[in-house]
Amino acid sequence: GVNYTLNPVHDSDDVYLTFPAARFDSHNVGNTNVSLTNLQLSGQDKSNYTLNVVSKMSAVIEPSSITIVKNSSADSKAISKVYDGTDEVELADRLLKSDFTIRTQYESNVSDMVMFAKQTYSSSNVTSSASDNVTIVFALSSSASNNYTLSQSEFTFTGIITPLEIPIHWSGTSFEYNGQNITPVPSYGTIITGDSLTITAQVEGEHKNAGNYTATAVLSSSNYIAADGTGSITFTIIPKPITITWVAPADLTYSKT
């Protein structure tokens, strides 16, 4: 609104100003001028005064605040992905503007004035439970950045990153007894570029005698998990063949016994 004072007017007099038309020189935020037309005095005591007309005055246009509210569709949206080494939310899981109500005090739908600045997980690593927050950040579009502000630009949601399955390869399933603990050697193929991963095999108890045993792959990073059916194997230690060599005595004398 336009604030004004009438001076001098006695406190008890009923006099006020009407201005049927007011036009700002600019509609954008900042200092500008307002042109007033058809200025008139009104009130029961208006006939006691005359008006010295001022047809133009200075004014300040302040930014309009854009309010963003999560809709129920946003709260119920599941955000999850398989580990890929990044904190980016996959396209299919990203929230849409329709998941939010975006408006100003005077306009009911101004979604074209805001855009998503980012949709990211708080970490690029696998989470053990639904505790990893996905951050959604809004920003003003270039056309609205001067005339609007955001009352809230950042929202958080629950997201999950699950381990990436990789196939485990084993050095063999059958080994010959050698008097030492025998363990198959596991290996893996391709992983995410830039990652490092160590793999070892674990066998419960002593495993050097002939028999059947189970080896389980142990990965150094929780971002990876063995693909189904490859994380453990049953292997066999088979008896070692031995050859008996007989040595004949040097001299033998016939005897009935």
Side-chain angles (χ1 to χ4, degrees), residues 40-55:
Q40 298 177 1
L41 290 176
S42 298
Q44 294 180 359
D45 299 311
K46 66 179 182 178
S47 61
N48 296 322
Y49 299 90
T50 59
L51 181 64
N52 294 322
V53 177
V54 177
S55 61

Side-chain angles (χ1 to χ4, degrees), residues 64-68 102-104 113-114 140 148-151:
S64 178
S65 177
I66 294 178
T67 302
I68 303 175
I102 304 170
R103 66 179 188 175
T104 69
M113 296 182 184
V114 300
L140 291 169
Y148 295 87
T149 60
L150 293 177
S151 60

Side-chain angles (χ1 to χ4, degrees), residues 185-196:
V185 178
S187 61
Y188 58 86
T190 303
I191 60 175
I192 300 297
T193 301
D195 281 0
S196 61

Side-chain angles (χ1 to χ4, degrees), residues 70-236:
K70 289 189 295 185
N71 297 333
S72 58
S73 61
D75 286 324
S76 61
K77 205 159 193 177
I79 303 177
S80 65
K81 71 170 182 176
V82 175
Y83 171 74
D84 61 3
T86 75
D87 62 359
E88 297 174 1
V89 177
E90 292 186 340
L91 183 61
D93 289 335
R94 290 181 181 175
L95 280 92
L96 307 174
K97 286 185 182 179
S98 58
D99 293 316
F100 300 83
T101 297
I102 304 170
R103 66 179 188 175
T104 69
Q105 181 180 353
Y106 307 103
E107 300 166 280
S108 60
N109 187 358
V110 290
S111 61
D112 59 330
M113 296 182 184
V114 300
M115 59 185 180
F116 288 115
K118 70 174 182 177
Q119 297 193 36
T120 57
Y121 288 85
S122 59
S123 169
S124 62
N125 295 315
V126 165
T127 55
S128 58
S129 62
S131 60
D132 189 35
N133 285 330
V134 171
T135 301
I136 310 296
V137 178
F138 285 93
L140 291 169
S141 64
S142 57
S143 61
S145 59
N146 292 328
N147 293 325
Y148 295 87
T149 60
L150 293 177
S151 60
Q152 181 180 355
S153 61
E154 188 169 307
F155 299 84
T156 57
F157 297 84
T158 297
I160 300 175
I161 300 178
T162 57
L164 174 63
E165 289 192 357
I166 56 173
I168 306 301
H169 310 287
W170 295 90
S171 59
T173 58
S174 180
F175 305 89
E176 186 178 279
Y177 171 78
N178 65 5
Q180 306 290 326
N181 282 329
I182 297 176
T183 304
V185 178
S187 61
Y188 58 86
T190 303
I191 60 175
I192 300 297
T193 301
D195 281 0
S196 61
L197 181 65
T198 301
I199 184 170
T200 57
Q202 180 178 327
V203 181
E204 294 292 335
E206 192 175 77
H207 44 284
K208 70 176 184 178
N209 296 319
N212 295 321
Y213 301 90
T214 299
T216 302
V218 179
L219 302 175
S220 64
S221 172
S222 61
N223 291 328
Y224 295 91
I225 190 172
D228 286 347
T230 68
S232 64
I233 62 163
T234 297
F235 68 97
T236 302

